[in-house]
Amino acid sequence: MLPSTFFLLPAQIEVIAAGEVLRRRNETLTSVLHLENGRVLRGVYEDGRMRHQLGVVEGPFWLDAASALLERPFPVDMVAETRVQVRRLPIEEFRRGCASLPAVAQGLLRDLATGYRAQSELAVSRLAQDAEARCAQWLLNHAQPDHSGAMSVTLHQRKRLIAAQLGIAPETFSRVLRHLREHGLIAGTGNVLNLPQPHALQSVAGC
């Protein structure tokens, strides 16, 4: 999308081993990485592994040009699948180089970057929805009526073990519970979660 020859790339090449994380979701960029060679996985990296792979890129390739152009945090995780070599360009230099392009080219690049980011954000959003649906279904499967007839769930296991059963990271499980709580679908503190709107929770679960 953007020729690397247009920029004066740093002479220094960073060598990164396979399995190392290059970018984290929601990371605010201070530099732009140009992948010289090797393969990099894009996706959702949780619990020490790439749990959901959304794509793979090979060098030469700008790894994070779209986010840098739009001045937005990075939408996905990036992990080196093989040993890779990258050059790191300060983001201010990258933006100055883009600003020197003709206005028509700048507009085209921003449109392409916007579409690329939208696809990445949609893919991550769908994965999050899938995790939310699994959590909602688990809550419904373990719900019991209390003395007043209201539904509640008692967490007899640690959240980390429950998350493992659901095939998600503990951080994802906690994030989903927080989201459900914010929307009034669960309530309570400690190990007992009340389900004030079981029918709404069924909708989240896709029942």
Side-chain angles (χ1 to χ4, degrees):
M1 182 177 79
L2 193 60
S4 62
T5 52
F6 185 78
F7 299 88
L8 182 60
L9 291 174
Q12 181 180 3
I13 293 180
E14 298 180 32
V15 179
I16 301 173
E20 292 295 315
V21 178
L22 282 77
R23 288 293 191 219
R24 292 279 189 181
R25 278 173 293 158
N26 302 317
E27 178 181 348
T28 299
L29 301 178
T30 58
S31 61
V32 185
L33 296 178
H34 185 264
L35 177 65
E36 297 287 306
N37 57 63
R39 289 193 307 276
V40 173
L41 301 177
R42 302 173 66 254
V44 177
Y45 186 80
E46 293 178 335
D47 207 20
R49 67 186 181 91
M50 186 63 81
R51 187 173 293 277
H52 300 287
Q53 184 176 326
L54 299 176
V56 59
V57 294
E58 296 189 27
F61 189 84
W62 287 102
L63 291 177
D64 36 24
S67 295
L69 278 169
L70 300 174
E71 301 183 27
R72 300 282 304 281
F74 204 61
V76 299
D77 297 313
M78 281 196 173
V79 178
E81 184 182 26
T82 65
R83 176 181 177 273
V84 302
Q85 293 182 322
V86 300
R87 295 182 194 264
R88 190 181 301 270
L89 184 67
I91 197 165
E92 295 82 7
E93 293 184 27
F94 177 80
R95 289 174 179 160
R96 278 197 297 270
C98 291
S100 66
L101 290 168
V104 173
Q106 290 186 49
L108 176 60
L109 284 174
R110 290 190 68 86
D111 287 346
L112 291 171
T114 299
Y116 180 77
R117 267 195 67 92
Q119 288 182 334
S120 297
E121 290 172 348
L122 178 61
V124 172
S125 174
R126 285 176 173 170
L127 291 174
Q129 289 173 353
D130 179 57
E132 190 169 271
R134 278 181 276 168
C135 290
Q137 187 62 63
W138 186 92
L139 289 169
L140 291 167
N141 289 344
H142 291 79
Q144 297 290 334
D146 61 18
H147 61 279
S148 65
M151 304 300 290
S152 65
V153 176
T154 301
L155 305 180
H156 296 290
Q157 297 176 303
R158 293 180 179 275
K159 290 181 180 179
R160 180 175 295 276
L161 295 177
I162 297 172
Q165 293 174 25
L166 295 171
I168 59 178
E171 297 79 7
T172 302
F173 184 58
S174 296
R175 185 166 60 248
V176 169
L177 291 181
R178 183 168 60 252
H179 179 74
L180 295 175
R181 189 184 300 277
E182 289 171 351
H183 285 76
L185 300 183
I186 63 173
T189 57
N191 292 333
V192 179
L193 300 177
N194 300 315
L195 310 183
Q197 301 184 63
H199 292 297
L201 201 60
Q202 287 175 350
S203 297
V204 174
C207 299

